[in-house]
Amino acid sequence: MTEQPADASPATQRLSEAIHRTLGRSLHVRHLDAGSCNGCDWEIAALLNPYHDVQRFGIDIVASPRHADLLLVTGIMTRNLEAAARLTYEAMPEPRLVVAVGACAISGGVFAGTYAGRDGIGSVLPVDVWVPGCPPRPEALIEALLVAVGRLQGRQ
Amino acid sequence: MAETAVNPSAIPGTPVRSSPDGLAGLLRDRARPRPTVATGELAFDVDSTELPSIASGLGAAGWRFVMLVGLDDRRAGAGFAVEVAFERPASPIVRLRAPLAADTPSYPSIARVLPAALWDERELKDLFGIVPEGHPDPRRLVLHDAYPRGFHPLRHDAPATIPDGPTDRHYVPFAAHGEGVFEVPVGPIHAGVIEPGHFRFSVVGEVVLYLDARLFFTHRGIEKLVEGRSIARALPILERSCGVCTVAHATAFSHAIERIAGADPPARAIQLRAVLAELERLYNHVGDLGNICAGIGFNVGSSQLGWLKERLLRINESLTGHRYLTGVVVPGGLVGDVPAAALGAVPGRLAEVERDLRAAVHLINRTEAVLDRFRSTGVLTRTMALDLGTVGVAARASGVEIDLRRDQPTGAYTRLEVPRVESVAGDVAARFHVRAQEALASFELLKQLLGELDAGPVSAPLPPLPAGASALGWAEGPRGASWIWVRIGPDEQVERLHLRSASFANWPSVAAAAPGNLVPDFPLINKSFELCYACTDR
Amino acid sequence: MDLLDRWLRPLRTGVVTSTYPKAPPVLEPGVRGLPELDPERCTRESACVSACPTGAIVLSAESWSLDAGRCVFCGACARACPTDAIALGSAVTIAAVRPAGLLHVTPLPARADR
C-alpha cells in the first residue's frame, strides 16, 4: 500500500478487485455533515447518479450508522453538531472506518480558527483516510472508498 | 466606526419630500436623513421606539423587509445599533438605523408586525445580546446548548475562546398538546445525504399539526471570521457560506463593494457574471427537480435528472475549472476570462441538456402516480408567503411576484427580459412546475447572453474604499433573493458583513407548509423548497 | 408513440456510466486540481505563501511544500506568482492514508547566488 495513492493506477485497480474477493459483502457508507458548506455533500450525493454509479462497486449509502461500515464525514465539526457526531460514530458497529472528506474536515479549510467549531474532525473522530478537495470530486471519493477498503482488509 | 459622509453627490439633509410617494408621509418628523455612499439607497436615523410603527407602515405601503443588521459601534464612542432595510420594485433601498444603548441594548420587536423578521431578531439576540422586546419566541436560534449563555460572538469584545458557563439544559420545542398528540423528533442527522437540521413534529396519527424547525447545526461563525480581513481574504470565506450558491453570494458581495467604490466592472465581466448566475440557477434547478423525485422514490426521474445535473457540472468545470463555479466572481469583475474553446462548445452542450430536460419533465408530467403525490401537498398560501416574506421559487409558486432580476435589476439583467414564471397553487406540484419553467427560461437567457458577449477585459481595479462606508448588495440566486450588507473599516478591511440568504428567508415557510400533511410527505415538501441549511446557518 | 419513445430512448442513449477507476477520470480541460510548482522558475518570493487563504504553502530554501488538506484549490497562488511558476494541474484523486501523505513537497534546486 503506497503512502500516497495517486489517480486511477494499478494499485487502485487491485483494491477494486480486493473488495469483491475478500469482503464478500457490500461496503455500507453513512454520510455525516459535521458543519460543511454542503459542496462536499453534493459531490457525495453525485456518487449515486448514473454517471458515477457507486453501487457498481458494491458500495451503497445507508440510512443509519447502525448499518454502516464507514462514515463519510464533511465539515469542520461545528460546536452545534459535535454531540450528534459523537453519537453517530458510537452507534456504528465494528469494524468501522472514518473518511475525512474535503479541506474543512481535514483542517477546517477557510473556516480555521472560528469560534463556532474545530479545525476539522480529527480531534473528535479517528480518521482512516483523508480526501483533499474543496470539494473533492466524486472520482476522488471513489478512490478514497476503495483505499479505505484496503485498510479494512489490512486490519482483518 | 460611525458612518461618515463620503459621496459628494449625497447631500446631507436631503429633504424627505423628494423621496418616493408614501415614504415622505410615513417618515415625516420621525426620520433624519443620513448620507449614503451608494446610489439607489435612502438612509435614515430613527428612534428605536418608532421602529414597529414605521415597519408596519412601510409593509402596508408595499415595501418588503430585506434584512435586519446588528451593529456594535461602541469603539466609535456610540452604542449598539440595529439597521432595518426595505425594498420595493423600482424604488431605492430604504435603510433605517436606530441607535441603541451601550450597556443593555434593546428595542421594541418588529416581528409582531413583520413576521418575516422573526428569525432575524432571534439571531440578533444570540449574536449581539440586543433584546427585541416583546418578541414571541424567546428561545435561542443560532447558538445551541453547547454555547454558554451570555456569550455574544459578534460583539467586538467577545472573548476569543468560548468561556465555560451555564448552558441551556435542553432544547424546548414548540409543540401542540392534547389527547392523542405525539411528538416525532427527526434529525439533526437525517437518513439521506443531506444537511443537518432538527424537525419536531406534533402529530395526530400521521397528520402533522405543527412543525418546529431547528437549524444552525452548521453555524461556522462566518460573519465574525471575515471581520478585520481584507476583501481578498474575506471573499473565499463568504463564498463558501454555501457550496451551491457561490455565484449568488460572491456576486452580491462584489456588488456591495462596487457600489461603495462607485465603479462597475467591465462589460464582458458583467455579462459573464450573468452567464455564471444562470448556470448556477440551472444546475441547482435541474438537481432539485431530481431531488423532488427522490423524495417520493421515483428513481427514473431522479436518475435522469441526476445525470443531467452531472453534465451541467461538467459544463461549469469547462468554463471555470470548478464544478460549482467557486472562486470566479470577485469585486471588480472576474478572476480570469473563460477559455475560448470551452465557451464555443457551451451552446451545443446546453442544447443537448435542454432537449433531455424537456423529455424528463415531459415524462414526469405524464406519470399520474407522481403527480398525485405532488398535488395539494405542502401548500404555502399566498397570504402566508407575503406575511413570512418568502422569496424565490417558493414565493412565485404561491402567486407572489418577486424576482430581483426584474425588481432590482443589476448588471446584465438591466438589459435582459426575464420571463415571469408563476403558479398560484403553492403546492409541491407548483414548485416543481415553476422550477422546470425557470430552468427552461435560463436556457433562453444563456443563449442571449452567449450570443452577445462583448470583447475586452474581465476585471478592472477598484477605486479606494473609504473607511466607514457601508452599502447593500444583492443577487437572485437559485432559491431566491440573497442580500449582503457590508461596512468597510480602515485599510479597506471588512468591518462588518451580514448575509441574509434566500434560504434563511424561506425556512419558516417550510414549517408553515407542513401542517395538515402526512409525516411521510414531509421529505417531499422539504425537497420541494430545497433550501440550503448552510446558507442559513453560516 | 410515447411508450415506444420511452423504450427506445435508453437504447439511443446507451450506457452513460463512467469507467473510473479502470480508466482515468474524465476531466474538463482547465480543471483546478492540485497546484504544482516548476522548481526551475521559483524565485522564492513567497507571493504564493501570502496569497493563500488557508496557509497551505510553506516555502523554505530547500523545498516548496503544499498541504493538500488545507488547499481549497482557488488558484490564488498561481495568480500571485510573479514568474508563473505555479499551475493548477489535473491531479484530483489524491487521497491519503496518513496525514503525512497530505504534504506534497517539491524540492528546490540549490541557488547559485547563496
Side-chain angles (χ1 to χ4, degrees), chain A residues 30-33 35-39 41-45 49-52 61-63 76 78-81 84 88 110-112 114-116 134-135 137-139, chain B residues 142 144 146-147 153 162 189-196 216-222 224-225 237 240 242-244 291 303 309-310 314 317 322-324 530 534:
Chain A
R30 179 85 267 262
H31 161 254
L32 173 66
D33 175 348
S36 74
C37 76
N38 208 27
D41 309 307
W42 281 115
E43 293 292 66
I44 293 172
N49 75 29
Y51 183 88
H52 296 290
I61 298 184
V62 293
I76 66 170
T78 56
R79 198 171 176 103
N80 279 344
L81 195 86
T88 302
V110 298
F111 308 114
T114 180
Y115 68 82
C134 189
R137 321 161 59 83
E139 290 94 338
Chain B
V142 177
H144 293 182
Y147 287 93
I162 298 177
I189 315 288
H190 294 293
V193 180
I194 198 166
E195 301 173 89
F216 292 88
F217 289 91
T218 66
H219 176 66
R220 287 149 286 150
I222 286 176
K224 185 74 173 184
L225 267 175
I237 299 172
R240 288 169 177 74
C242 175
V244 293
N291 293 331
S303 288
K309 180 178 178 183
E310 176 71 28
R314 285 169 183 269
E317 186 175 62
H322 198 277
R323 286 157 59 93
Y324 295 88
E530 197 69 312

Side-chain angles (χ1 to χ4, degrees), chain B residues 173-179 181 183 202 209:
Chain B
F174 278 172
H177 299 281
E179 177 98 23
V181 178
E183 265 180 55
S202 297
L209 289 182

Side-chain angles (χ1 to χ4, degrees), chain B residues 57-391:
Chain B
L58 285 172
W63 293 85
R64 296 189 290 231
F65 173 72
V66 167
M67 62 158 65
L68 191 146
V69 189
L71 298 164
D72 182 352
D73 290 335
R74 292 175 298 161
R75 272 173 307 191
F80 290 89
V82 63
E83 189 171 304
V84 190
F86 294 84
E87 65 97 12
R88 197 171 65 173
S91 299
I93 316 270
V94 169
R95 298 167 57 181
L96 306 173
R97 187 176 67 179
L100 305 173
D103 46 1
T104 49
S106 69
Y107 68 96
S109 160
I110 63 172
R112 284 186 185 276
V113 297
L114 271 188
L118 276 165
W119 278 26
D120 302 71
E121 290 195 324
R122 286 171 70 191
E123 175 175 313
L124 188 71
K125 190 167 124 189
D126 282 3
L127 298 182
F128 279 94
I130 296 174
V131 177
E133 281 157 3
H135 190 285
D137 190 343
R139 299 172 303 166
R140 295 207 288 180
L141 179 74
V142 177
L143 307 178
H144 293 182
D145 319 346
Y147 287 93
R149 289 203 168 271
F151 172 68
H152 301 296
L154 282 183
R155 290 191 175 200
H156 75 79
D157 54 356
T161 51
I162 298 177
D164 293 326
T167 62
D168 287 334
R169 280 180 302 130
H170 59 271
Y171 167 63
V172 179
F174 278 172
H177 299 281
E179 177 98 23
V181 178
F182 286 84
E183 265 180 55
V184 177
V186 181
I189 315 288
H190 294 293
V193 180
I194 198 166
E195 301 173 89
H198 185 79
F199 301 110
R200 191 68 67 104
F201 295 92
S202 297
V203 302
V204 172
E206 288 219 323
V207 177
V208 176
L209 289 182
Y210 187 79
L211 168 59
D212 194 21
R214 185 191 203 198
L215 268 65
F216 292 88
F217 289 91
T218 66
H219 176 66
R220 287 149 286 150
I222 286 176
E223 293 187 4
K224 185 74 173 184
L225 267 175
V226 298
E227 287 182 0
R229 290 186 194 239
S230 66
I231 306 288
R233 278 286 212 260
L235 181 56
I237 299 172
L238 179 277
E239 200 176 24
R240 288 169 177 74
S241 37
C242 175
V244 293
C245 300
T246 54
V247 173
H249 292 163
T251 304
F253 178 72
S254 299
H255 183 218
I257 299 297
E258 285 150 12
R259 293 177 76 234
I260 289 175
D264 284 334
R268 185 176 174 83
I270 287 175
Q271 291 154 350
L272 284 173
R273 276 186 184 176
V275 169
L276 295 173
E278 293 306 315
L279 286 174
E280 180 167 87
R281 193 179 328 280
L282 247 190
Y283 85 73
N284 273 284
H285 278 4
V286 167
D288 294 349
L289 292 174
N291 293 331
I292 294 174
C293 293
I296 55 169
F298 184 58
N299 292 336
V300 172
S302 56
S303 288
Q304 299 245 341
L305 291 157
W307 178 46
L308 290 179
K309 180 178 178 183
E310 176 71 28
R311 286 155 65 184
L312 288 167
L313 293 177
R314 285 169 183 269
I315 292 174
N316 292 346
E317 186 175 62
S318 74
L319 288 177
T320 64
H322 198 277
R323 286 157 59 93
Y324 295 88
L325 305 171
T326 308
V328 190
V329 177
V330 294
L334 305 178
V335 295
D337 208 337
V338 296
L343 195 60
V346 165
R349 293 174 81 170
L350 284 176
E352 286 176 358
V353 175
E354 182 183 352
R355 179 201 67 206
D356 291 343
L357 177 66
R358 286 183 188 278
V361 172
H362 177 82
L363 168 76
I364 290 163
N365 281 337
R366 293 175 97 76
T367 309
E368 267 309 307
V370 169
L371 297 176
D372 185 58
R373 290 292 299 275
F374 286 2
R375 288 191 193 119
S376 68
T377 303
V379 173
L380 180 75
T381 65
R382 186 164 186 273
T383 311
M384 283 151 70
L386 288 169
D387 284 346
L388 292 172
T390 316
V391 299

Side-chain angles (χ1 to χ4, degrees), chain C residues 29-56:
Chain C
V31 62
R32 301 208 307 247
L34 193 68
E36 288 158 10
L37 177 78
D38 177 356
E40 299 300 321
R41 282 183 181 256
C42 178
T43 51
R44 279 96 161 147
E45 285 180 60
S46 299
C48 54
V49 176
S50 324
C52 177
T54 55

